[in-house]
Structure formats: C-alpha cells, structure tokens
Amino acid sequence: QVQLVESGGGLVQAGGSLRLSCAASGRTFSRYSMGWFRQAPGKEREFVAAISRNGGYTYYADSVKGRFAVTRDSAKSTVYLEMNSLKPEDTAVYYCAADTLNRSGSRAYEYDYWGQGTQVTVSS
C-alpha cells in the first residue's frame, strides 16, 4: 500500500510559478514510476508528466513541455512538479500517482495509487 500526499498548490498570477510536492509513504517509493495528472472543472483527468523510478526518463504532455519539470528525491520519497510560465488554462486539481509496474505512461489506468489532489488556480 502506498499513500501519496500532494502539497504546494495555490493561487498565482499568469506567468508565475509554483512547485508541487508529492510525498509517498512506505519504503518502496524508489521502485515506482510516478506521474502527475490534472483535472479542470467539467473536463476529464489529463496527463501532465511522468518520471521513471530512477529519474532517468521523463515524459511530458505537449501542453506543458518546456514549462513544467518533474523530478524526484528518493531520499525524501518525494516527487516534484515545477511549474513555470503558468497560464489560466493550467487551472485544475493536480494529482500525483504511482505506477507499480514502472511504465512511466500517460494513461491514468496505468497508475495504481493516487493522492487526494491539490488545487492550482492561475488568474489572468
């Protein structure tokens, strides 16, 4: 069982930055690839970024490529999402997720554990 807790969301003006954190419980964090997803009101959950279990591979949605960066710190069992040049369309609840099969994929069904989400609101 893995528990994931996101933090770092908030209200920011367009063009600003935020860093989201996702802390994982348990000793198996380093075995899992991790992903970030987001869901805006009235929309389906969408993929944002993924990182392999050793951090050597990262993958981004086209909509955030060049603006967002995903990293992980195994010593702290934490994965981060650095978000820069934020746009109003980035407004959503952001979720982190863990994939026990280490696929680093973009599909929500590939992830086994999910956090509760953190709200990010970007004002224009």
Side-chain angles (χ1 to χ4, degrees):
Q1 188 75 12
V2 177
Q3 291 187 327
L4 304 172
V5 179
E6 301 97 336
S7 61
L11 174 64
V12 63
Q13 288 188 333
S17 299
L18 280 175
R19 188 177 79 157
L20 305 184
S21 300
C22 173
S25 66
R27 302 179 181 178
T28 54
F29 174 77
S30 62
R31 299 181 188 176
Y32 305 149
S33 60
M34 301 294 293
W36 285 96
F37 290 77
R38 66 187 182 186
Q39 188 167 19
K43 295 188 177 181
E44 293 186 353
R45 189 168 299 191
E46 65 172 358
F47 170 74
V48 175
I51 186 167
S52 61
R53 60 185 178 183
N54 65 0
Y57 171 78
T58 56
Y59 177 49
Y60 298 94
D62 288 343
S63 59
V64 307
K65 201 172 295 182
R67 299 188 299 122
F68 290 12
V70 57
T71 58
R72 64 190 296 161
D73 185 337
S74 292
K76 296 182 179 180
S77 296
T78 300
V79 62
Y80 303 96
L81 185 68
E82 185 75 36
M83 305 186 295
N84 300 308
S85 302
L86 283 162
K87 305 174 181 180
E89 51 263 43
D90 294 318
T91 295
V93 177
Y94 283 71
Y95 300 88
C96 70
D99 173 13
T100 59
L101 296 182
N102 193 36
R103 288 164 288 192
S104 306
S106 62
R107 296 172 177 82
Y109 68 78
E110 294 176 306
Y111 292 82
D112 307 287
Y113 299 102
W114 292 81
Q116 83 290 347
T118 185
Q119 176 71 47
V120 172
T121 303
V122 184
S123 63
S124 57

